[in-house]
Amino acid sequence: MKIFVYSMREFDELKYFKAYAKERGIELDYTVDIPTLQNVHLAKGASAVSIITNPTDRTMLKAWKSYGIGTVSTRTVGYDHIDLCAAKDLGISVCNATYSPECVAEYTVMLMLNCLRKTKLAFKKNAVNDFGLYGMTGGVLEGKTVGIIGMGKIGKRVAELLSVFHPSEILCYDSVIMETNFEKYVAIDTLLSQSDIVTFHLPSIGKPLMSTREFSVVKRGAILINTARGDLIDTPAMLKALDDGTLSAAGLDVIEEEKQICYFDQSDNENFSHPYLAELKKRDNVIYTSHYAFYTDQSVKEMTEHSLESCMLEQDGKPNPWKIV
Ligand code: COI
């Protein structure tokens, strides 16, 4: 079977792709470029393509279909960048790729601790030899109420990791309730009004879950953590909440409008602009990283291998745990 890989990162993914393709007898070809209508023809002769986060619309899917592509595998858990209706209409299978929830769960706890201990301000003060304590009073997780929105694998693991810090309570919100020792399920407004820290672990729902109304019920001084999807939070409403003290801090690995950010080096691009980034970056109480929570050596290996394996399962018509449509 031949699989064509788009957006290949030669510095970290290629070695895993090559090794797994050899092991499984897959013919592999790739480009480092993101998929566009201009390079869609590169996949000719392959029966599946592997992509990452780039928007994949009906036109793109149609073009691939015309070159014989039957499977699109995204090397990500999320698949909100792919037009699933179009794929279904065209008879193209879409698959995702999973990796251990540990990387995102640990990163989430790291952001919580960084917000509580104001490390962004500490680095800034250190950079100008200001070693004073002013502004640096921190907090601890012990005794805090933490609200987890979305109790899939990552949300559950965050709850487990947090338990060693002895929070006073872990409140959870999800449409499916699977209570364990660590958590208590509540309505979303109860979670927002009682939690000192709120963290998100659910896929995009196509509209913000946190807008002006939700911020109006948030406990005063809460910390917001988002390692899930940027569009879960209405950024102007969040900025207002940071300004009026509703939020004391935010730890964000994802923000709205990531298309021109992830994963490009824009350091030499004088025309680079983003609707919210400058506002977020200038605040000492906002930590922003550019969608790195997933990024460990182990997850890269799993993403590449699961993507290839999934394409093979589709080709062979076998049950595929990564199949979306
Ligand atoms: C996912 O796997 O869905 C992620 O969020 C990570 C991806 C952007 C590389």
Side-chain angles (χ1 to χ4, degrees):
M1 162 179 209
K2 182 171 176 187
I3 301 173
F4 190 84
V5 180
Y6 284 90
S7 315
M8 171 74 85
R9 296 193 308 268
E10 289 176 310
F11 58 88
D12 64 340
E13 291 183 311
L14 185 57
K15 61 178 182 292
Y16 293 124
F17 266 121
K18 275 189 171 163
Y20 202 70
K22 192 170 171 203
E23 186 184 323
R24 305 290 279 120
I26 297 167
E27 191 188 337
L28 202 70
D29 198 0
Y30 73 89
T31 173
V32 296
D33 297 328
I34 64 171
T36 62
L37 286 177
Q38 285 65 50
N39 65 20
V40 85
H41 65 279
L42 295 176
K44 194 175 172 186
S47 45
V49 293
S50 174
I51 63 166
I52 40 174
T53 50
N54 308 102
T56 303
D57 62 10
R58 185 177 289 269
T59 322
M60 183 75 88
L61 291 165
K62 225 174 172 171
W64 272 328
K65 182 78 186 178
S66 75
Y67 286 114
I69 300 300
T71 301
V72 174
S73 162
T74 178
R75 310 191 288 284
T76 55
V77 174
Y79 42 84
D80 44 303
H81 49 293
I82 304 175
D83 184 340
L84 295 183
C85 288
K88 239 179 176 172
D89 292 348
L90 293 160
I92 294 181
S93 316
V94 174
C95 317
N96 71 348
T98 47
Y99 43 88
S100 161
E102 192 65 23
C103 49
V104 181
E106 287 186 15
Y107 202 93
T108 300
V109 176
M110 180 196 78
L111 284 178
M112 289 179 187
L113 293 169
N114 274 293
C115 286
L116 282 164
R117 303 312 298 265
K118 303 183 179 171
T119 43
K120 181 170 175 185
L121 182 60
F123 291 145
K124 190 174 154 189
K125 282 163 69 83
N126 266 274
V128 294
N129 293 339
D130 171 0
F131 308 117
L133 286 173
Y134 183 77
M136 282 305 302
T137 322
V140 293
L141 277 168
E142 184 181 33
K144 297 279 187 301
T145 297
V146 182
I148 305 179
I149 299 181
M151 289 302 285
K153 286 190 187 125
I154 297 173
K156 282 235 171 282
R157 185 64 186 140
V158 169
E160 278 170 19
L161 292 175
L162 285 176
S163 66
V164 302
F165 291 96
H166 304 293
S168 75
E169 221 170 7
I170 298 181
L171 302 178
C172 310
Y173 172 78
D174 204 317
S175 48
V176 185
I177 298 181
M178 287 192 298
E179 212 146 323
T180 68
N181 291 342
F182 304 120
E183 321 114 23
K184 176 175 159 196
Y185 281 78
V186 292
I188 191 157
D189 279 6
T190 309
L191 181 151
L192 294 175
S193 64
Q194 293 183 8
S195 299
D196 300 297
I197 301 173
V198 177
T199 181
F200 296 85
H201 299 289
L202 67 168
S204 169
I205 52 169
K207 61 178 182 184
L209 188 73
M210 290 297 291
S211 291
T212 306
R213 191 205 72 79
E214 287 75 23
F215 280 111
S216 75
V217 294
V218 160
K219 181 172 178 182
R220 194 161 176 80
I223 294 173
L224 203 72
I225 304 292
N226 191 5
T227 53
R229 282 294 180 265
D231 63 2
L232 291 170
I233 299 175
D234 175 348
T235 314
M238 177 175 65
L239 289 168
K240 188 170 170 299
L242 284 160
D243 289 343
D244 67 19
T246 302
L247 295 178
S248 62
L252 310 169
D253 187 49
V254 289
I255 54 173
E256 288 184 281
E257 305 288 339
E258 279 187 349
K259 273 198 289 289
Q260 63 273 52
I261 295 179
C262 299
Y263 289 101
F264 304 105
D265 178 354
Q266 298 276 18
S267 53
D268 287 334
N269 179 3
E270 284 169 10
N271 299 319
F272 173 69
S273 75
H274 184 276
Y276 308 118
L277 201 53
E279 275 296 318
L280 293 167
K281 276 164 73 168
K282 77 178 188 200
R283 286 169 165 78
D284 291 338
N285 59 350
V286 176
I287 295 174
Y288 169 65
T289 55
S290 43
H291 212 141
Y292 291 159
F294 80 98
Y295 195 45
T296 63
D297 198 39
Q298 185 196 342
S299 61
V300 173
K301 184 170 188 290
E302 287 169 346
M303 287 157 119
T304 53
E305 292 183 354
H306 293 169
S307 181
L308 293 183
E309 192 57 37
S310 166
C311 293
M312 291 201 68
L313 291 171
E314 281 307 294
Q315 158 106 347
D316 297 345
K318 291 191 178 151
N320 182 354
W322 299 287
K323 188 181 178 91
I324 309 300
V325 297

